[in-house]
């Protein structure tokens, strides 16, 4: 009868560990391949749309929190980055294109922001809070 060497249990444990790591690596590789394909598909779809028609998907969590906090129905979304030429964006609270943190503002504050210096605030081109506030476009 062939007897196993004394280090066989240790070698089996090492083999099991290595098999597990290989399985995890394959899972990660599969995930990355799927994500790469999804990004390529999104880029292809975006390239087919006219530049003015591109919209970001709605962010219900931000939208819902803005609606709950703001009875007047307006929010200011933080600017994309410091020094961005458009500044912060004024939205109606029910706007579906809010992407970043947004703070509730009153109608008067929204009106003041939109009638002030254009390098600090601008109106969302989709929900048009300026039209709702009676600001001529």
């Amino acid at each position: 009868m062939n007897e196993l060497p004394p280090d066989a249990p240790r070698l089996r444990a090492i083999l099991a560990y290595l098999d597990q790591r290989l399985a995890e690596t394959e899972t990660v590789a599969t995930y990355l391949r799927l994500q790469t394909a999804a990004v390529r598909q999104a880029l292809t779809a975006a390239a087919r749309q006219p530049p003015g028609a591109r919209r970001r998907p709605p962010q219900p969590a931000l939208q819902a929190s803005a609606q709950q906090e703001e009875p007047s129905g307006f929010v200011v979304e933080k600017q994309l980055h410091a020094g961005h030429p458009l500044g912060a964006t004024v939205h109606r609270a029910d706007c579906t294109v809010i992407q970043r943190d947004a703070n509730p503002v009153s109608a008067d504050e929204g009106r003041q922001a939109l009638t002030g210096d254009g390098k600090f605030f601008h109106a969302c081109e989709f929900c048009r809070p300026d039209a709702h506030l009676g600001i001529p476009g």
Side-chain angles (χ1 to χ4, degrees):
M1 197 184 256
N2 265 344
E3 287 197 28
L4 295 175
D7 59 348
R10 185 174 57 88
L11 292 173
R12 285 190 178 144
I14 291 170
L15 182 60
Y17 174 81
L18 293 172
D19 285 340
Q20 182 181 6
R21 293 299 162 261
L22 281 172
E24 290 171 1
T25 302
E26 290 171 11
T27 301
V28 170
T30 300
Y31 171 79
L32 292 174
R33 279 192 293 276
L34 290 171
Q35 291 303 307
T36 300
V39 169
R40 285 189 177 130
Q41 184 178 14
L43 281 171
T44 301
R48 290 182 183 153
Q49 293 180 352
R54 294 185 184 155
R55 291 184 59 161
R56 294 190 170 121
Q59 298 292 322
L62 290 177
Q63 178 184 351
S65 66
Q67 286 176 342
Q68 291 170 358
E69 295 174 14
E70 179 47 33
S72 72
F74 298 93
V75 295
V76 174
E77 179 182 20
K78 295 180 180 180
Q79 70 187 105
L80 188 57
H81 57 78
H84 191 273
L86 291 178
T89 308
V90 178
H91 294 274
R92 290 179 55 182
D94 61 352
C95 184
T96 60
V97 298
I98 298 171
Q99 293 291 301
R100 292 172 295 285
D101 291 337
N103 298 313
V105 295
S106 68
D108 286 338
E109 290 169 325
R111 192 175 292 107
Q112 288 174 351
L114 293 173
T115 56
D117 190 343
K119 70 180 181 180
F120 297 112
F121 296 96
H122 70 282
C124 171
E125 63 186 31
F126 297 104
C127 68
R128 299 293 315 268
D130 50 347
H132 190 74
L133 290 168
I135 300 169

